[in-house]
């Protein structure tokens, strides 16, 4: 089915470990972004990309790295996991159309111990 | 700077009641977009509606309706004759179009709606 696919769905990391959250979309969307959701905080933008080879920081970028080598994929890297990065992570994509609605992935629940 | 405020943290109603979820936004742009998303207990985010700043017409979709008022910077969401399946967290979000696209969504903190049978 077309949409945004995130893997893994669940992950437990030890403090200091690194890992990559995968995000892929097959809708040929130009925009892709990563959000984190914390209780009582809503969703906050980590990084976003307006096309292959172009990325930029969002509201809470520290501790995360991204790259966009293809239109389809937008991985999020945790460089050295910290307990403060325990959260639910959502990847989203949309067309380059002003105000178009985003399609979200199903989320990755990450726990850092 | 953009900001979205959903003052109601939690709302509880009995089935068949009408319920309105409030959303107040702040932006300096004259062109912007407003969204509502639903997050059911399963956790996924479901797009409900988007509205651009030039279209103040109210929208109705089945039991859902949205009231956009630029004068009060509000974009409220009403569910008529609520059902248990409406139980979810609802997020209001804002995007400014000053750079040509909807690449940044600013979300409110969400309103948790519980509909009791």
């Amino acid at each position: 089915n077309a949409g945004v696919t995130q893997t893994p769905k669940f992950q437990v990391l030890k403090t200091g470990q690194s890992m990559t959250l995968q995000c892929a979309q097959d809708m040929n969307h130009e925009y892709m972004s990563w959000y984190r959701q914390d209780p009582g905080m809503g969703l906050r933008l980590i990084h976003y990309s307006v096309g292959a080879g172009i990325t930029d920081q969002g509201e809470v970028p520290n501790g995360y790295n991204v790259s966009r080598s293809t239109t389809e994929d937008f991985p999020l890297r945790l460089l050295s996991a910290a307990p403060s990065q325990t959260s639910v992570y959502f990847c989203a994509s949309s067309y380059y159309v002003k105000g178009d609605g985003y399609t979200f992935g199903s989320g990755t629940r990450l726990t850092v111990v | 700077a953009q900001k979205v405020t959903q003052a109601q943290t939690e709302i509880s109603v009995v089935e068949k009641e009408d319920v309105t979820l409030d959303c107040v936004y702040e932006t300096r742009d004259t062109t912007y977009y407003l969204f509502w998303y639903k997050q059911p207990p399963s956790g996924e985010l479901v797009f409900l509606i988007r509205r651009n700043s030039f279209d103040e017409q109210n929208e109705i979709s089945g039991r859902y309706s949205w009231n956009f008022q630029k004068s009060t910077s509000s974009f409220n969401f009403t569910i008529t004759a609520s059902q248990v399946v409406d139980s979810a967290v609802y997020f209001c979000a804002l995007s400014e179009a000053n750079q040509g696209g909807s690449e940044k969504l600013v979300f409110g903190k969400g309103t948790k709606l519980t509909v009791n049978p």
Side-chain angles (χ1 to χ4, degrees):
Chain A
N1 291 336
V4 179
T5 302
Q6 288 184 238
T7 55
K9 292 192 182 302
F10 302 94
Q11 183 70 49
V12 178
L13 285 180
K14 293 182 179 179
T15 297
Q17 286 184 320
S18 62
M19 80 158 294
T20 300
L21 307 185
Q22 301 291 344
C23 176
Q25 53 92 8
D26 57 3
M27 298 172 284
N28 205 31
H29 284 171
E30 294 90 349
Y31 284 134
M32 296 187 75
S33 52
W34 278 101
Y35 291 83
R36 60 176 289 174
Q37 182 180 16
D38 302 294
M41 297 295 292
L43 283 86
R44 294 179 292 169
L45 181 64
I46 305 171
H47 285 286
Y48 66 97
S49 169
V50 301
I54 306 170
T55 64
D56 206 345
Q57 296 181 350
E59 181 185 354
V60 288
N62 292 340
Y64 306 95
N65 204 356
V66 292
S67 60
R68 184 99 180 267
S69 56
T70 66
T71 300
E72 295 79 18
D73 300 299
F74 191 45
L76 177 72
R77 297 182 187 85
L78 279 70
L79 308 172
S80 177
S84 60
Q85 294 179 302
T86 293
S87 188
V88 180
Y89 291 85
F90 287 97
C91 179
S93 71
S94 76
Y95 284 115
Y96 188 80
V97 173
K98 294 185 179 184
D100 203 13
Y102 275 81
T103 300
F104 282 82
S106 57
T108 296
R109 185 173 294 273
L110 175 69
T111 302
V112 182
V113 298
Chain B
Q2 307 169 68
K3 185 178 179 181
V4 176
T5 301
Q6 295 179 255
Q8 304 149 309
T9 305
E10 293 192 37
I11 300 175
S12 182
V13 300
V14 177
E15 209 170 15
K16 298 185 182 178
E17 283 185 21
D18 299 346
V19 58
T20 295
L21 309 182
D22 297 332
C23 174
V24 174
Y25 62 92
E26 295 177 26
T27 178
R28 295 176 186 167
D29 267 19
T30 56
T31 303
Y32 52 90
Y33 304 89
L34 295 162
F35 302 80
W36 276 95
Y37 283 87
K38 175 182 179 180
Q39 187 176 43
S42 53
E44 73 272 22
L45 284 158
V46 179
F47 167 75
L48 295 178
I49 190 172
R50 72 174 180 271
R51 178 61 87 222
N52 74 57
S53 53
F54 298 110
D55 183 0
E56 287 193 73
Q57 282 192 340
N58 292 334
E59 175 131 354
I60 298 174
S61 176
R63 296 183 297 105
Y64 294 172
S65 62
W66 290 268
N67 180 253
F68 176 32
Q69 291 195 340
K70 288 178 73 172
S71 60
T72 56
S73 298
S74 64
F75 187 43
N76 297 337
F77 173 31
T78 297
I79 302 174
T80 303
S82 60
Q83 301 176 0
V84 173
V85 293
D86 296 326
S87 297
V89 180
Y90 291 87
F91 291 98
C92 181
L94 165 70
S95 170
E96 291 175 344
N98 56 355
Q99 292 185 355
S102 57
E103 65 268 22
K104 294 183 183 179
L105 279 175
V106 174
F107 283 83
K109 295 183 179 182
T111 297
K112 182 179 181 181
L113 173 66
T114 302
V115 182
N116 299 298

